[in-house]
Each structure stands twice: as structure tokens, then as C-alpha cells.
Amino acid sequence: SMAESLSEKTCEECAAPGTQNEVGWIHTFCTPCRDTLDERRKLRWETGTQGGDSEIRRGFDQKDEEE
């Protein structure tokens, strides 16, 4: 289906063009989101926000501004 074909090349985090990983669970990320995945997961764990990615992104962006 069209949705399936788009999900194979659309980043799950920001909707930019992306690629699927080759091992483990199938995920599709763009390079910047893939490069910061571990940091974002850690932030989700620390803030207790498992959903609501816009909140996570705001926290992640604020962390970048502080550094």
C-alpha cells in the first residue's frame, strides 16, 4: 500500500526522508535523528515522557541551546 511504501522512507521522528535500519526492530530515521536516537531515548527516560515527541524535541532542543 502507499502508506507502507512511504513508511519505508520517511523518518519516524521528523518526517524527513530516511532509511530503515538493517538489524533489530524495523525503524526508519533520517541521519540526524538516527545520530541522536540514544540521547533522545535517555531524555525520554529521564523526563518520563514516552509519547508526545514534540515535548521531547523541545527538551532536546533546549539541551542543545544550553551547551
Side-chain angles (χ1 to χ4, degrees):
S1 79
M2 186 171 141
E4 288 176 339
S5 66
L6 287 174
S7 71
E8 294 174 1
K9 52 189 170 194
T10 305
C11 179
E12 297 175 19
E13 296 290 327
C14 69
T19 57
Q20 289 185 337
N21 56 313
E22 297 180 7
V23 295
W25 289 93
I26 298 172
H27 290 286
T28 306
F29 296 112
C30 63
T31 300
C33 288
R34 188 176 305 281
D35 291 346
T36 59
L37 183 60
D38 289 336
E39 293 176 58
R40 287 183 287 111
R41 284 181 176 163
K42 181 181 176 189
L43 185 60
R44 283 185 180 132
W45 179 259
E46 290 171 352
T47 61
T49 351
Q50 296 303 312
D53 202 51
S54 60
E55 291 179 34
I56 299 301
R57 260 199 203 287
R58 273 197 303 274
F60 194 68
D61 292 342
Q62 288 172 354
K63 182 180 172 193
D64 285 345
E65 291 171 4
E66 293 171 1
E67 292 176 352

